[in-house]
Amino acid sequence: MAPRKIKKGLFITFDGPEGCGKTTQAHLLARMLKGKGYPVVLTRDPGGSPIAEEIRGLLLDRRYKRLSALSETLLYETCRASLVQEVILPALKKGKIVICDRFSDATRVYQGAAGGVANGLIRKIDAFACQGLKPDLTFLLDVSSREGLRRLRRKRLFDRMEGKPLRFHEKVRRGYLKIVRTEPKRIRFIPPISLEAVRERVWKEVLRVLP
């Protein structure tokens, strides 16, 4: 199948509390779009570029438990600036579909709503780091904090962020739910349903924005 060309790139993000299944759904969507002949770039935040992957390792390292929320914010935004400049913007300019596992919403929630960093400050730093770039479409997958952490525990040891107390993760979830209410045009909220049901809803929404 010849690659399908689109005049304007499309930027799609997946986000949500720990264990919500966003990474799985991001990979499924990328596979489906590639199967239809669309040019796709699948990436993650933090990460996606060489320097961002290095900083990701520091952010998630369990040895650095005393890292403050403000320090986290600056490190995450440094990663994001590199990802946007080196990966996302070039791909969008070429008319590709970029799918990103987490993006700016995560900082607003983890370091803002749960960590206590002022939302206004995060927005200013993030706008600068992202050069004003915002997702065209965001899928926010939901799961209870206890269930999400239980899912992760079955797979592997927690990283530094996942290992934070349950009350922190409950604040994270409340922060995401608040974002849904404030940005309904960009964000598509998906409640805890089966993997296949989520995949179908994601595909239905993506079809609406594909050229």
Side-chain angles (χ1 to χ4, degrees), residues 52-68:
E53 289 291 338
E54 290 288 336
I55 299 174
R56 176 189 176 91
L58 296 174
L59 281 164
L60 302 185
D61 194 318
R62 296 165 65 189
R63 293 176 298 174
Y64 305 123
K65 294 182 178 180
R66 298 182 65 181
L67 193 65
S68 71

Side-chain angles (χ1 to χ4, degrees), residues 4-17:
R4 299 189 182 190
K5 294 183 179 180
I6 53 181
K7 293 182 179 179
K8 177 181 177 294
L10 186 64
F11 185 26
I12 302 172
T13 62
F14 284 81
D15 225 312

